[in-house]
Amino acid sequence: MTYSIAIGDKIYSSWSLRGWLLFEKFGIPVTEETARMYSPEFTAMLSNYGGGRTVPAIRFSEDEETVIVSDTLAIAETLVERHPEKNMWPANAAARGYARSIVAEMHSGFMNIRNDCTMNLRHCYSGFQPSPEVQREISRLETIWTEARTKWGKDGPWLFGSYSIADAFYAPVATRLLTYDLPIAKLAADYVQTTVNDPAFKRWRAEGLAENYVQPGYDLDLPTVPWPET
Ligand SMILES: N[C@@H](CCC(=O)N[C@@H](CS)C(=O)NCC(=O)O)C(=O)O
């Protein structure tokens, strides 16, 4: 069972990070293909993944057919179906229901944070002023994370204790709380630290920095402070 995954720039592509973490954190081997987003090479790469417009997308063979799955949520469900032994959702039914709900909410929501605070793993900004809409979404994040951590997260550092699909989906937004210096309560701040100190995430970011590329239009004209090394 050999998977390939198409991803974009590691510094900027939040959905690529989610898709990649699904393989990396659950120990599912995958071959990465990457291209600079918005370049002709990016379009050429995706032509081998069904011709969609976005990353991540995956490809594998089954019954002598090529299977292509694009969209992170579809990729997650495909991996759950094919690797039941990996327990990618929480085991407890109530936790699992909540995990599915918040993954769907991340997939279709948090538009203000996503638009105003694009993922950028190169900088930590100082002086970013979140809009009232962004502040409302931060408050929603705190509610979600607090509920998951206090009800089901006692046995480990992740939202439901052990790592689940929900942690992969919330990883990029956790980085934004750090990089835009957004005001958050202790539980959320601890979860952000868990996310950015995870070895898989650190590897992703190091590989992104090594790409040494600045996507035009992604940087804000704000002072920056060093990434907190731990
Ligand atoms: N709903 C999609 C969103 C994927 C997405 O928007 N990916 C961005 C990169 S983070 C992309 O490929 N952008 C390239 C473009 O829009 O041309 C998913 O869940 O995978």
Side-chain angles (χ1 to χ4, degrees):
M1 202 179 293
T2 310
Y3 295 100
S4 302
I5 185 168
I7 57 176
D9 314 27
K10 287 189 169 173
I11 290 292
Y12 302 108
S13 180
S14 58
W15 291 104
S16 295
L17 170 58
R18 293 179 177 100
W20 182 88
L21 284 171
L22 293 174
F23 286 90
E24 183 71 15
K25 290 298 294 176
F26 291 99
I28 302 170
V30 65
T31 303
E32 288 175 38
E33 273 190 67
T34 186
R36 189 73 57 229
M37 288 191 298
Y38 317 116
S39 68
E41 293 77 21
F42 187 74
T43 310
M45 174 178 76
L46 286 178
S47 71
N48 295 321
Y49 287 83
R53 207 176 51 85
T54 60
V55 284
I58 65 168
R59 195 181 57 220
F60 57 93
S61 297
E62 185 167 298
D63 299 332
E64 296 177 17
E65 272 195 307
T66 299
V67 182
I68 287 166
V69 184
S70 54
D71 192 289
T72 316
L73 199 47
I75 293 169
E77 286 304 351
T78 303
L79 295 181
V80 168
E81 175 188 284
R82 293 168 64 80
H83 302 276
E85 77 289 353
K86 298 286 184 186
N87 300 317
M88 296 175 78
W89 291 118
N92 172 275
R96 197 161 61 250
Y98 194 66
R100 284 199 161 109
S101 306
I102 64 172
V103 162
E105 186 171 342
M106 182 69 249
H107 190 254
S108 61
F110 296 101
M111 291 305 179
N112 294 290
I113 295 186
R114 280 159 64 182
N115 287 337
D116 292 6
C117 311
T118 56
M119 190 176 90
N120 188 334
L121 302 180
R122 192 184 312 276
H123 302 299
C124 287
Y125 293 113
S126 72
F128 179 80
Q129 295 298 327
S131 68
E133 292 78 17
V134 167
Q135 288 176 31
R136 266 199 297 280
E137 290 181 358
I138 295 169
S139 160
R140 175 66 189 149
L141 280 176
E142 289 178 323
T143 302
I144 289 175
W145 292 354
T146 301
E147 184 159 359
R149 292 277 310 127
T150 53
K151 278 194 182 158
W152 299 291
K154 295 282 190 317
D155 293 338
W158 300 106
L159 290 175
F160 297 88
S162 302
Y163 199 89
S164 78
I165 291 170
D167 298 296
F169 270 68
Y170 280 87
V173 82
T175 73
R176 287 147 150 137
L177 297 181
L178 174 74
T179 57
Y180 290 83
D181 195 22
L182 298 172
I184 42 170
K186 168 132 180 34
L187 182 144
D190 288 347
Y191 181 66
V192 169
Q193 286 306 312
T194 297
T195 302
V196 299
N197 290 327
D198 186 58
F201 172 78
K202 284 185 163 183
R203 182 154 83 80
W204 171 274
R205 178 168 180 263
E207 290 170 2
L209 291 174
E211 288 175 11
N212 199 19
Y213 179 77
V214 177
Q215 248 324 329
Y218 272 62
D219 280 4
L220 296 184
D221 189 15
L222 282 175
T224 58
V225 296
W227 185 275
E229 296 302 341
T230 52

